[in-house]
Amino acid sequence: SLTATAKSATANTYVSLSDANAYLDGIPDDATWDSASDDQKNRALKSSTDRLEQVEWVSTVTDTDQRLAWPRLGITDRDGREFSDDAIPRPIEEATAELARRIIDGSYTSDDTGLEGFASVGVGSISVTPRSSRKGAKLPEAVRLIVQPYAKGLDELTVPLSRG
């Protein structure tokens, strides 16, 4: 299930299903999102939040106990109005919904092959060189335009490679 509560230690999405549906209701001819089940939509919203969590955002989190990167301190919109530090800003909700829509309709995938974590992979004499970081899948242009004012170096997004 989705938890879209700002500053929550258990939040797993930036936008609720009802708010995502309301935002995407304005997209013309979006039968794919409309015909998806609530479970499919919830999974896509969680996946899109997980992807947006890989972005390096400006400023710092509002509460050190919050699970997700938003809300953040002292962030302003394009007109200089400060976003509340008790809520997920509307642009972040919209970006999450937009990316989820693209996950549902298949126009966005992470494009991972499984080899992104390696700088080089050999076969003869087996030579493997791990990367210290790897590039995240490029965000769709519509999503990038929404989040770009709040992100650092979005064009050069790198994500630390973790090994379990």
Side-chain angles (χ1 to χ4, degrees):
S1 82
L2 293 182
T3 303
T5 306
K7 301 191 330 184
S8 169
T10 60
N12 60 3
T13 183
Y14 287 132
V15 65
S16 68
L17 178 58
S18 61
D19 287 344
N21 282 335
Y23 170 74
L24 294 171
D25 189 41
I27 307 294
D29 301 323
D30 191 22
T32 307
W33 178 264
D34 293 339
S35 64
S37 71
D38 284 354
D39 183 58
Q40 290 170 316
K41 291 176 184 179
N42 284 338
R43 289 173 190 266
L45 290 168
K46 184 176 179 320
S47 292
S48 64
T49 299
D50 290 346
R51 173 58 185 88
L52 290 172
E53 280 288 291
Q54 296 175 3
V55 172
E56 184 181 356
W57 302 105
V58 298
S59 186
T60 59
V61 295
T62 301
D63 186 326
T64 57
D65 293 332
Q66 70 190 50
R67 181 177 177 273
L68 299 177
W70 286 93
R72 302 183 77 74
L73 295 171
I75 305 292
T76 58
D77 69 11
R78 293 173 188 203
D79 295 320
R81 295 173 295 218
E82 193 166 328
F83 290 121
S84 168
D85 62 4
D86 287 327
I88 307 298
R90 184 149 179 88
I92 302 303
E93 291 178 334
E94 291 174 357
T96 305
E98 183 62 36
L99 186 55
R101 179 179 75 86
R102 290 164 187 265
I103 290 169
I104 292 279
D105 73 14
S107 65
Y108 176 81
T109 62
S110 66
D111 295 326
D112 281 351
T113 65
L115 298 176
E116 289 76 18
F118 301 97
S120 66
V121 177
V123 176
S125 298
I126 304 179
S127 173
V128 176
T129 307
R131 292 183 203 265
S132 58
S133 66
R134 68 177 178 91
K135 286 190 177 276
K138 189 172 181 177
L139 291 170
E141 189 64 20
V143 175
R144 290 167 46 83
L145 289 172
I146 295 170
V147 301
Q148 201 156 25
Y150 320 109
K152 297 179 190 175
L154 198 54
D155 292 330
E156 298 300 323
L157 177 66
T158 57
V159 180
L161 178 66
S162 60
R163 292 184 176 83

